[in-house]
Amino acid sequence: EAGVTQFPSHSVIEKGQTVTLRCDPISGHDNLYWYRRVMGKEIKFLLHFVKESKQDESGMPNNRFLAERTGGTYSTLKVQPAELEDSGVYFCASSPRPGGSDTQYFGPGTRLTVL
Amino acid sequence: QKEVEQNSGPLSVPEGAIASLNCTYSDRVSQSFFWYRQYSGKSPELIMSIYSNGDKEDGRFTAQLNKASQYVSLLIRDSQPSDSATYLCAVKRKSGSRLTFGEGTQLTVNP
């Protein structure tokens, strides 16, 4: 069974540009999470989807970040316009249906560098 | 005060020794506790989960939880060079699904 995949693995952009990160969860997992780790800090929660609905987006830093999960399968996280402080590693995780196992399986992350 | 704190490391142990990784958390309503291992540039990988006070053993790994002291630890017996990685402690509340992580402890096992 394929794990959580993320694309791209690395992205380098200029301040003010737009970047879109993609996450494909494990097939059949209803829960999808986005996390971020900035340099020297802990991994921090951004938001949680259950299928296509945003269950908790309290960790989103500001309105420059937009997450979508159309159709309840893959998810995208768009940063527009990117700022220097957005640099970091963005992780996606998925877990089975609500009420099932709460183990979250992580993808390898997308390393975003904003210059 | 950080919600989840881990011993800062880096931690270095000789091959075959016991590695002890510690984690404290501030939120008393935390219910689920996880240890993830992350090799450089790779996905965090779950190695242990624990939900009740006491010890939980899985092969060379033992997780220990003390909710009264708000403390969770991971012991790695017979440490191997392949155990060299960053170990992340994560906690989850009863309500909600988000994980709250510590900064991680970098472990090096020397041959």
Side-chain angles (χ1 to χ4, degrees):
Chain A
E1 179 183 284
V4 177
T5 57
Q6 294 186 243
F7 182 84
S9 57
H10 294 82
S11 181
V12 180
I13 61 172
E14 301 271 339
K15 175 183 172 181
Q17 289 185 320
T18 298
V19 63
T20 301
L21 314 181
R22 173 171 170 144
C23 168
D24 287 78
I26 292 172
S27 178
H29 280 194
D30 288 344
N31 293 289
L32 187 149
Y33 310 84
W34 284 98
Y35 292 85
R36 176 175 74 170
R37 183 168 195 162
V38 298
M39 181 84 74
K41 300 289 188 182
E42 69 273 19
I43 296 173
K44 285 194 172 179
F45 168 83
L46 296 178
L47 87 160
H48 169 209
F49 283 99
V50 178
K51 297 186 179 180
E52 67 276 6
S53 300
K54 292 176 184 174
Q55 186 77 12
D56 179 0
E57 55 183 326
S58 60
M60 295 287 263
N62 52 60
N63 60 9
R64 295 185 294 103
F65 289 75
L66 175 64
E68 295 181 322
R69 193 183 182 194
T70 307
T73 54
Y74 71 92
S75 174
T76 58
L77 179 65
K78 180 190 287 189
V79 185
Q80 179 182 29
E83 298 289 344
L84 299 179
E85 64 265 26
D86 301 332
S87 295
V89 181
Y90 289 76
F91 291 102
C92 176
S94 71
S95 67
R97 73 189 190 292
S101 166
D102 63 355
T103 298
Q104 295 185 22
Y105 299 88
F106 280 75
T110 294
R111 181 174 295 277
L112 174 64
T113 302
V114 183
L115 301 176
Chain B
Q1 182 187 6
K2 292 184 178 179
E3 290 186 62
V4 178
E5 297 209 49
Q6 297 185 236
N7 42 343
S8 57
L11 178 65
S12 181
V13 301
E15 184 174 355
I18 296 175
S20 177
L21 303 161
N22 304 314
C23 174
T24 57
Y25 58 95
S26 61
D27 191 341
R28 287 195 171 271
V29 299
S30 298
Q31 186 183 42
S32 306
F33 305 87
F34 306 89
W35 283 99
Y36 283 83
R37 177 177 64 197
Q38 186 180 21
Y39 295 111
S40 182
K42 302 295 185 182
S43 316
E45 173 194 9
L46 182 70
I47 52 172
M48 290 287 281
S49 57
I50 187 166
Y51 305 94
S52 304
N53 280 327
D55 294 0
K56 179 181 177 183
E57 187 174 317
D58 184 0
R60 296 184 297 110
F61 298 97
T62 299
Q64 299 173 318
L65 175 61
N66 183 325
K67 290 186 178 180
S69 299
Q70 295 175 235
Y71 174 90
V72 58
S73 67
L74 179 70
L75 299 178
I76 306 174
R77 290 182 300 281
D78 187 23
S79 296
Q80 301 297 308
S82 58
D83 295 326
S84 298
T86 296
Y87 289 80
L88 303 166
C89 173
V91 305
K92 188 169 79 71
R93 287 183 168 192
K94 182 176 182 178
S95 62
S97 298
R98 69 167 67 186
L99 295 177
T100 301
F101 284 87
E103 290 189 11
T105 299
Q106 185 177 343
L107 171 67
T108 300
V109 181
N110 300 302

